[in-house]
Amino acid sequence: MNKEHLDKEYFLYNLKNLSIERVNKIDIPNVTGEYTNNTIHILNTADKRTLYHELTHFIDDRLNSKGGFKSITIYKYLGNYITTEEFYQLSKAERKKAEYIEDIFFNFLVEGGAEYNTAVYFNNMKPISYYNQVVMYNILSIIYGTDFMREIFFGREGQELLYKKIVEAGYNYDEIKRFTDITLRTEIDKANNKEKFYYLEMLINLYEHEKGAKWYEDKTFSYFVINLLPYDFKSSDTDRYFEYSKVSNIGITLERKIREKLYDKKYASIYNKIYFNDNLYIPVGDYIIVNGELKDQSKVYIYDIDKDELIDYKTIDE
């Protein structure tokens, strides 16, 4: 993780005083764990993977005394929207002319980032929750690179860094606010097709702005994009219908190649993927019966999507 953010003495003090409690109920709907104020609550029915996810939130929050992620404070100044950094670049007299609007943040970075980094550092490259948020985090990792996304997640100013990147790509505050509203943890999974194509369009534009290339020519990027496509999309949903159609079958060959190598070819689970340090990792849950007993044969495959071949794997030790 980001050593440059680590205050070792501060972190170890908080680790020593971290409270982990098993509980029967958590007030937030549809979650099995919660981290807040150096305390982790885990449902009695949850397993160690939930604990790892909440520990990642703890690490992000207590790496140093500056705390975890900071939301983006937006002001309106002379008809334009500005961030906190821009606000404090103004003279004291000019700041009085600025109007506070609100605080916003990219929720998918918080939960998707926690699950992504849990998979990378604690869980054998296997994310188990926040599917769409993890896919979006992977997409940003392809656009900006693993090191930059590490800075985004573990750095105090990560939210504002991403906001600036999106502004540089030509988006304004209202457009970004719509993006953050749609991708809230409680909203992203029930977004309609119009909303899904809104955030897909933004992610694609970020790619093409940063890379200077057509998105559908990048097979790895395209593979993650199709994981966010509505299954029932049609030409009237998007101006990019034919671009999406070009890449819609990328994952089929990949899954077929993996299943050919599995013991349980029919029922084995292929989990959400991880893009990390220029590699595509594909975790697979697989089992074989040995002497009448079920034996775990789960693996993580490394896939070269350009060559369309599996290049390596490691066995997962659960």
Side-chain angles (χ1 to χ4, degrees):
M1 297 182 185
N2 269 4
K3 291 183 179 179
E4 60 267 31
H5 295 296
L6 175 63
D7 179 333
K8 187 175 180 180
E9 184 176 340
Y10 178 84
F11 177 75
L12 291 176
Y13 171 82
N14 281 280
L15 181 61
K16 180 180 179 181
N17 291 281
L18 174 65
S19 173
I20 300 175
E21 303 172 9
R22 285 281 184 178
V23 296
N24 293 319
K25 181 183 177 182
I26 292 176
D27 291 335
I28 303 173
N30 304 317
V31 301
T32 56
E34 176 188 27
Y35 168 78
T36 182
N37 297 325
N38 225 47
T39 299
I40 292 175
H41 291 133
I42 303 289
L43 285 183
N44 286 320
T45 54
D47 62 19
K48 63 182 180 182
R49 294 172 296 187
T50 297
L51 175 60
Y52 293 156
H53 178 96
E54 301 308 327
L55 280 171
T56 304
H57 282 307
F58 160 76
I59 293 168
D60 177 35
D61 185 46
R62 301 293 170 153
L63 270 178
N64 58 57
S65 58
K66 294 180 181 179
F69 80 90
K70 183 176 68 175
S71 58
I72 308 153
T73 301
I74 302 295
Y75 300 87
K76 196 168 188 177
Y77 171 69
L78 301 181
N80 297 313
Y81 292 104
I82 61 173
T83 63
T84 303
E85 181 182 12
E86 296 166 312
F87 174 80
Y88 282 106
Q89 288 172 353
L90 301 173
S91 67
K92 289 185 178 180
E94 289 300 302
R95 286 178 206 166
K96 293 179 181 178
K97 300 177 184 178
E99 175 192 359
Y100 167 78
I101 300 299
E102 66 175 331
D103 286 0
I104 63 173
F105 72 104
F106 300 101
N107 182 270
F108 78 90
L109 277 183
V110 179
E111 295 300 347
E115 188 60 24
Y116 173 98
N117 285 289
T118 297
V120 169
Y121 296 109
F122 296 122
N123 202 34
N124 297 300
M125 296 294 182
K126 186 169 74 175
I128 61 166
S129 61
Y130 296 104
Y131 179 88
N132 289 322
Q133 292 91 331
V134 171
V135 173
M136 295 176 74
Y137 195 95
N138 276 305
I139 285 174
L140 291 178
S141 295
I142 295 169
I143 297 172
Y144 299 118
T146 298
D147 288 343
F148 182 80
M149 290 308 295
R150 218 182 265 125
E151 178 69 22
I152 287 282
F153 184 75
F154 291 107
R156 174 72 165 158
E157 310 297 331
Q159 294 271 328
E160 193 157 330
L161 279 175
L162 180 59
Y163 184 91
K164 288 178 181 177
K165 284 287 189 183
I166 299 176
V167 170
E168 288 171 7
Y171 286 92
N172 61 37
Y173 162 72
D174 291 319
E175 292 166 331
I176 297 172
K177 178 64 166 61
R178 185 182 177 196
F179 178 85
T180 60
D181 287 345
I182 294 171
T183 55
L184 280 171
R185 178 184 61 81
T186 52
E187 300 298 325
I188 189 170
D189 295 330
K190 56 184 181 183
N192 59 39
N193 282 11
K194 183 178 180 180
E195 292 168 331
K196 289 177 181 177
F197 280 110
Y198 182 83
Y199 64 69
L200 270 171
E201 181 73 14
M202 181 177 284
L203 293 169
I204 287 170
N205 285 339
L206 293 178
Y207 176 92
E208 294 190 339
H209 177 266
E210 188 74 15
K211 302 288 190 180
K214 295 296 184 183
W215 71 274
Y216 51 81
E217 294 174 353
D218 184 327
K219 290 184 178 180
T220 306
F221 182 81
S222 299
Y223 179 63
F224 282 104
V225 165
I226 64 172
N227 279 268
L228 291 176
L229 277 177
Y231 71 92
D232 59 347
F233 81 98
K234 49 190 182 296
S235 58
S236 59
D237 288 330
T238 171
D239 293 336
R240 293 188 185 269
Y241 178 79
F242 292 106
E243 292 181 11
Y244 289 124
S245 298
K246 284 181 181 180
V247 301
S248 60
N249 291 326
I250 282 180
I252 296 175
T253 304
L254 182 154
E255 184 166 324
R256 185 185 302 121
K257 284 181 176 291
I258 291 176
R259 289 201 178 277
E260 287 172 355
K261 296 180 177 292
L262 302 180
Y263 293 101
D264 187 347
K265 299 187 186 323
K266 186 175 181 180
Y267 295 108
S269 300
I270 299 177
Y271 297 98
N272 203 351
K273 295 81 183 170
I274 290 289
Y275 180 83
F276 181 74
N277 283 344
D278 299 323
N279 285 314
L280 179 61
Y281 293 88
I282 305 168
V284 177
D286 191 19
Y287 299 89
I288 185 173
I289 297 176
V290 178
N291 298 325
E293 295 184 2
L294 202 62
K295 184 178 179 181
D296 191 348
Q297 292 290 306
S298 297
K299 296 179 176 64
V300 174
Y301 288 94
I302 302 174
Y303 184 68
D304 187 325
I305 201 164
D306 291 315
K307 293 181 180 179
D308 195 21
E309 62 185 32
L310 298 166
I311 57 176
D312 200 4
Y313 74 89
K314 68 173 184 176
T315 300
I316 294 176
D317 181 10
E318 295 284 2

